[in-house]
Amino acid sequence: MAYGIPVYTSTTLAAPGHSAGELRLVQPMIMLQGGVLQNHLHFSGILNLEGLTIPGGELTRGDWGEGFFDRRHPHTYAHELMVWSDDLLGQRDGAVHLSLAAGKGVVPFGTDDPMNRPFERYPVNHHLAQIIERAVGIAGARIGPVALEAALFNGDEPTGPGSWPRISRFGDSWSARITVFPIDGLELQGSRAVVESPEHRPGSGLDQSKWSASARWERTVAGHPVYGLVEWER
């Protein structure tokens, strides 16, 4: 699958007494998914072309991160390259589903990648609420309405669209997340992460101690999709 979103953005707050407007193609992505061994082993690859379509970022008042201010920065070309198995033992573990995943992708912390949400606009809390584009190893288990995940990953953030994780730093950071699905359409999430030196790639910068909690409701009401998300990060 491939898609992108053409969007025009205008603001009167670009600078005191000035306005700005831009037409851009945002979130241009090519995605490939597959499975082998009767779909017990899965692969997901996402090529993100924002480094070509928004090399100077997307005009978004209040956004920050990776050297951009009041602009959403472009993400890396290799946005995701993951291999995983979501039910390792099949029927042998009964109602428990054990999973393993590895590659470059989204760390199990906070809420999901905003590119997976039904909105074009990235939230300004993106760097608080997600840890993405890392070399990550994930172990998970789901028992009924409760899912548990834990991960090891590299703490360094990308510095540009062509950046790759520093493999020498893999395992210097960790995260854990619990998600509960009490009723159909409702998701409750809480997570914790300790990220070593995200702003300094060699590893000598300040560390981050992160907490997240969220509640999401997604249902169809009278034939119309309804989506609501409330999240808190520290």
Side-chain angles (χ1 to χ4, degrees):
M1 183 172 73
Y3 77 90
I5 307 172
V7 58
Y8 177 78
T9 304
S10 178
T11 178
T12 59
L13 299 172
H18 295 276
S19 60
E22 294 180 354
L23 177 64
R24 294 288 185 268
L25 178 64
V26 301
Q27 301 182 33
M29 294 188 291
I30 300 173
M31 289 164 283
L32 175 67
Q33 292 185 341
V36 296
L37 301 177
Q38 297 181 332
N39 268 343
H40 289 297
L41 186 65
H42 304 269
F43 167 80
S44 174
I46 301 178
L47 176 65
N48 187 316
L49 301 177
E50 288 182 337
L52 303 178
T53 63
I54 54 169
E58 176 188 5
L59 180 61
T60 309
R61 180 71 173 175
D63 268 12
W64 73 92
E66 298 180 20
F68 289 74
F69 181 73
D70 282 347
R71 305 185 73 84
R72 180 179 70 80
H73 62 81
H75 287 92
T76 61
Y77 294 118
H79 189 65
E80 181 176 289
L81 292 170
M82 294 292 294
V83 175
W84 77 94
S85 176
D86 55 11
D87 191 7
L88 285 174
L89 301 180
Q91 301 297 323
R92 285 171 289 181
D93 54 2
V96 179
H97 286 249
L98 300 178
S99 63
L100 289 176
K104 181 186 180 185
V106 180
V107 172
F109 170 82
T111 50
D112 54 356
D113 187 343
M115 286 190 180
N116 295 327
R117 302 180 188 178
F119 305 109
E120 182 278 320
R121 182 66 63 199
Y122 257 67
V124 296
N125 67 346
H126 168 42
H127 277 253
L128 297 178
Q130 289 88 36
I131 304 172
I132 67 173
E133 299 179 328
R134 300 303 212 278
V136 61
I138 306 170
R142 178 160 179 172
I143 307 172
V146 179
L148 304 171
E149 301 162 280
L152 294 174
F153 58 97
N154 62 296
D156 55 292
E157 291 184 350
T159 57
S163 293
W164 282 89
R166 290 178 68 99
I167 301 302
S168 62
R169 289 191 53 185
F170 175 78
D172 66 4
S173 304
W174 63 270
S175 72
R177 179 168 62 189
I178 180 171
T179 308
V180 181
F181 307 89
I183 60 174
D184 187 29
L186 179 62
E187 170 193 297
L188 307 175
Q189 175 273 143
S191 50
R192 165 85 165 134
V194 175
V195 187
E196 183 173 321
S197 183
E199 303 291 345
H200 187 260
R201 281 174 65 83
S204 300
L206 297 176
D207 299 340
Q208 292 183 353
S209 177
K210 302 164 73 78
W211 294 90
S212 170
S214 66
R216 187 198 326 255
W217 189 70
E218 189 170 8
R219 291 291 300 273
T220 298
V221 178
H224 300 283
V226 178
Y227 179 98
L229 172 65
V230 177
E231 55 185 336
W232 169 90
E233 281 82 33
R234 180 180 177 85

